[in-house]
Amino acid sequence: MAESSIADLISEAEMEMAEKIEKFKRELTSLRTGRANPQLLDSVQVEYYGARVPLKQVAAVSVPEPRTLEVRAWDAGAVDAIEAELRKMDFGSSPSRNGGVIRINLPPMTEDQRKKMVKIVHTMGEDSRVQMRNIRREVLEKIKKAQKAGEVTEDDLERHEIEVQKHTDAYVNSVDGIVAAKEKELLTV
């Protein structure tokens, strides 16, 4: 394994870690905090002309008030299906319909709910950190195989290990920062 292919391997690992961070951020946006957030509905799939499609393909979601989500269907024929799917979700209150507009009023979160959400965020953060470490482990195994095959010197192996560890530490610290910010958001009343 040439020096350039090891550099490519490390670069790929860094890109993979960056992708995991973005995925983690997206997953966190779907968690309910004290405020309404259109991303709460990103996972909703609606039956539309015989196919299951994401809600955002058939309706606009807005936040007219801090604890209210408003869903406006682009096709009046889809309103019933949208309302049916939203009723299946647990928001703490039922969606209300006024013509082609469906409003979801989110009740304030209790202290226990906030603490539960913080625990979920910490669990998700730990899962992300584990993913970063797994990427690090896989890269280091490949570099060590190359060293055993005589393609990489002992000094280069050590240098690459340090480089991979620096990238891993940076992304793990990023996860820690994201978790801390989400925890602060959840605990702010």
Side-chain angles (χ1 to χ4, degrees):
M1 185 178 286
E3 191 68 29
S4 64
S5 61
I6 290 178
D8 290 344
L9 186 67
I10 293 171
S11 177
E12 287 172 19
E14 188 178 5
M15 286 191 318
E16 193 175 342
M17 288 180 187
E19 288 170 9
K20 297 287 184 194
I21 290 282
E22 290 306 311
K23 181 179 181 231
F24 177 55
K25 286 179 183 176
R26 280 192 309 275
E27 288 173 351
L28 283 181
T29 61
S30 68
L31 287 180
R32 181 170 171 238
T33 60
R35 293 191 177 96
N37 182 346
Q39 284 123 349
L40 285 172
L41 303 178
D42 279 354
S43 63
V44 176
Q45 297 276 318
V46 178
E47 188 72 31
Y48 187 65
Y49 290 107
R52 302 277 302 160
V53 296
L55 175 65
K56 60 185 170 188
Q57 288 184 6
V58 295
V61 179
S62 62
V63 182
E65 298 166 20
R67 288 199 334 248
T68 304
L69 288 171
E70 194 172 80
V71 181
R72 291 180 184 272
W74 293 317
D75 178 0
V79 177
D80 290 334
I82 292 170
E83 184 179 17
E85 286 301 318
L86 293 177
R87 288 198 180 280
K88 293 178 187 175
M89 299 193 67
D90 180 23
F91 294 113
S93 69
S94 295
S96 62
R97 183 170 163 185
N98 185 0
V101 178
I102 301 168
R103 293 175 69 94
I104 303 164
N105 291 312
L106 302 173
M109 290 178 68
T110 64
E111 189 66 28
D112 285 345
Q113 288 172 318
R114 291 176 186 281
K115 287 179 180 175
K116 221 179 272 184
M117 295 305 279
V118 168
K119 285 181 183 177
I120 291 170
V121 168
H122 282 278
T123 301
M124 291 169 70
E126 184 55 34
D127 290 346
S128 265
R129 287 187 284 273
V130 167
Q131 290 174 353
M132 301 300 163
R133 293 183 198 118
N134 286 341
I135 293 168
R136 175 192 63 196
R137 181 180 39 78
E138 291 168 8
V139 169
L140 292 178
E141 284 174 1
K142 291 175 183 175
I143 295 171
K144 285 178 183 175
K145 278 184 186 176
Q147 193 267 332
K148 285 183 180 171
E151 299 167 356
V152 176
T153 66
E154 190 78 32
D155 289 343
D156 286 344
L157 171 68
E158 193 172 313
R159 183 172 47 82
H160 292 308
E161 285 177 339
I162 291 169
E163 183 182 356
V164 169
Q165 187 62 48
K166 281 182 185 175
H167 291 305
T168 305
D169 290 344
Y171 284 103
V172 166
N173 288 339
S174 179
V175 168
D176 292 343
I178 294 166
V179 167
K182 191 66 172 184
E183 180 177 359
K184 182 179 177 187
E185 179 185 347
L186 282 166
L187 295 176
T188 301
V189 179

